[in-house]
Amino acid sequence: MKKALITGITGQDGSYLAELLLEKGYEVHGMVRRLSTPNYTRIEHILDNIEIHDADLSDQLSLIEVIEASEPDEVYNLAAQSFVATSWRQPVLTGELTALGVTKMLEAIKTVNKNIRFYQASSSEMFGRVHETPQRETTPFHPRSPYGVAKVYGHYITLNYRESYNMYAVSGILFNHESPRRGLEFVTRKVTDGVARVKAGLTKKLSMGNLSASRDWGYAKDYVEAMWLMMQQKSPEDFVIASGETHTVREFCEIAFSFADLDYKKYVEVDEKFMRPAEVDILLGDASKALKKLGWKPRTTFKELVRIMVETDLKRYGIS
């Protein structure tokens, strides 16, 4: 039986990945930060089947201890300060967790057992002001937020340990991937929750930022399978994981409201306070390498993803 350690197991990706690995017969360990009130909402249904360890990406010793305790074959590093907007308000914290935390985890693996395979959650935000469209593994990075900068560091330090210490260390450059488990602060979930609140009569307006921003959106449940596939290859390589389609925030709003029989134009308003200091206008990924070498492609369409999210949020508010 293979063993896996997932940092950020209580998040969207961590919870879906834990389910996938359990289905594949893994012994699953999860790493969480010690909190006075732990939030296990996304993994409540599998808590009896996984082992939880307290550790922190900012604490080197705790990482060494959790690796020694769990003895994993694979480590999936999904933990980070992952909200772009927060990275402008807390740039130092973002750097410490999202950038230096990767180094500390890699050092911990090198110290305990450098044969452990390591997956780093890289991000399409690294491309920022894009130098070519679509973006692929060879596209230069030009991050436009402290979060994007931190992710570039994490990406390159993973490559550096792979080349310097002959470690199996890979990065998945995942484009935006969403689900009903997405945090309410993220734009897609803000929209689908807003639709449900409007339908329930709890609000009449949804304040948004840049409606023209374009993103390549996929379903998180599809994307965690790509993470696993990257870790099963003979040689470590980095992969772009994307749908290959781009849609604007406006399109997302229009489709989401339509699933509740509402016209988004009557409810969505633009508020300057939600605009980014430096905008990323368009992200569009080319996942052809993943299709060729991993046999991976997304199974869920953009419209189906939006429908899943809207229907889940409607049910949360008692609307069927």
Side-chain angles (χ1 to χ4, degrees):
M1 179 186 289
K2 277 188 178 181
K3 296 181 184 179
L5 172 66
I6 303 171
T7 75
I9 195 170
T10 58
Q12 169 189 255
D13 292 5
S15 61
Y16 281 122
L17 180 61
E19 290 173 348
L20 176 71
L21 296 181
L22 287 172
E23 289 171 9
K24 293 186 178 296
Y26 278 65
E27 179 181 308
V28 177
H29 296 255
M31 190 187 100
V32 299
R33 279 182 299 157
R34 180 67 180 167
L35 299 171
S36 55
T37 53
N39 182 9
Y40 294 151
T41 305
R42 297 181 181 92
I43 57 170
E44 264 179 344
H45 61 296
I46 55 172
L47 271 176
D48 292 341
N49 305 113
I50 61 180
E51 188 170 342
I52 298 294
H53 304 263
D54 290 332
D56 197 298
L57 285 177
S58 64
D59 183 0
Q60 182 80 67
L61 182 58
S62 73
L63 298 180
I64 291 173
E65 289 175 345
V66 77
I67 290 171
E68 288 178 336
S70 58
E71 298 181 318
D73 300 290
E74 301 169 358
V75 171
Y76 295 84
N77 186 42
L78 310 185
Q81 190 303 98
S82 59
F83 188 41
V84 175
T86 297
S87 76
W88 273 289
R89 295 193 298 271
Q90 298 180 316
V92 176
L93 174 68
T94 300
E96 288 174 347
L97 296 180
T98 308
L100 291 179
V102 185
T103 312
K104 290 174 181 175
M105 179 57 84
L106 285 163
E107 267 298 298
I109 291 171
K110 182 167 73 73
T111 300
V112 177
N113 175 10
K114 73 172 196 171
N115 292 319
I116 294 169
R117 296 191 168 202
F118 175 79
Y119 172 87
Q120 166 61 12
S122 287
S123 167
S124 59
E125 287 287 332
M126 300 189 304
F127 295 119
R129 180 182 283 174
V130 298
H131 288 232
E132 63 177 354
T133 298
Q135 295 87 54
R136 48 184 64 88
E137 291 80 6
T138 55
T139 302
F141 298 137
H142 190 149
R144 297 269 281 170
S145 66
Y147 169 77
V149 172
K151 280 294 185 181
V152 170
Y153 177 97
H155 182 85
Y156 276 128
I157 201 68
T158 300
L159 174 63
N160 185 259
Y161 271 66
R162 178 165 83 214
E163 295 179 345
S164 301
Y165 303 112
N166 196 31
M167 293 170 65
Y168 192 106
V170 299
S171 291
I173 307 173
L174 272 60
F175 279 65
N176 295 60
H177 47 289
E178 317 298 322
S179 77
R181 298 181 189 177
R182 195 53 139 157
L184 288 168
E185 69 273 23
F186 290 87
V187 65
T188 53
R189 189 70 197 292
K190 178 180 178 179
V191 171
T192 61
D193 178 72
V195 169
R197 288 175 60 81
V198 168
K199 192 70 173 178
L202 299 175
T203 187
K204 293 182 179 180
K205 291 294 179 183
L206 177 62
S207 297
M208 301 291 293
N210 182 10
L211 296 180
S212 299
S214 292
R215 293 292 183 271
D216 182 326
W217 277 299
Y219 187 21
K221 195 171 184 179
D222 293 345
Y223 283 38
V224 297
E225 184 181 7
M227 298 179 188
W228 176 77
L229 286 168
M230 285 181 224
M231 295 282 266
Q232 314 311 311
Q233 304 305 299
K234 185 177 180 180
S235 302
E237 291 184 66
D238 303 330
F239 290 88
V240 161
I241 302 300
S243 74
E245 297 179 4
T246 186
H247 301 273
T248 64
V249 175
R250 182 177 283 101
E251 283 180 78
F252 196 103
C253 290
E254 182 177 7
I255 293 171
F257 275 88
S258 73
F259 280 123
D261 298 318
L262 299 170
D263 180 357
Y264 84 100
K265 293 177 183 176
K266 295 180 180 178
Y267 306 99
V268 174
E269 60 182 14
V270 174
D271 188 329
E272 290 294 324
K273 74 178 181 182
F274 294 114
M275 295 291 190
R276 293 183 178 187
E279 184 58 80
V280 175
D281 295 314
I282 181 168
L283 292 173
L284 175 63
D286 175 3
S288 55
K289 180 183 174 184
L291 175 60
K292 182 179 179 181
K293 293 197 171 186
L294 304 178
W296 180 89
K297 62 180 179 180
R299 293 188 295 271
T300 309
T301 66
F302 173 70
K303 197 167 184 178
E304 178 68 6
L305 166 65
V306 180
R307 184 191 64 77
I308 291 168
M309 294 179 67
V310 170
E311 288 184 354
T312 303
D313 276 327
L314 287 172
K315 285 177 184 176
R316 283 177 56 243
Y317 287 93
I319 303 167
S320 57

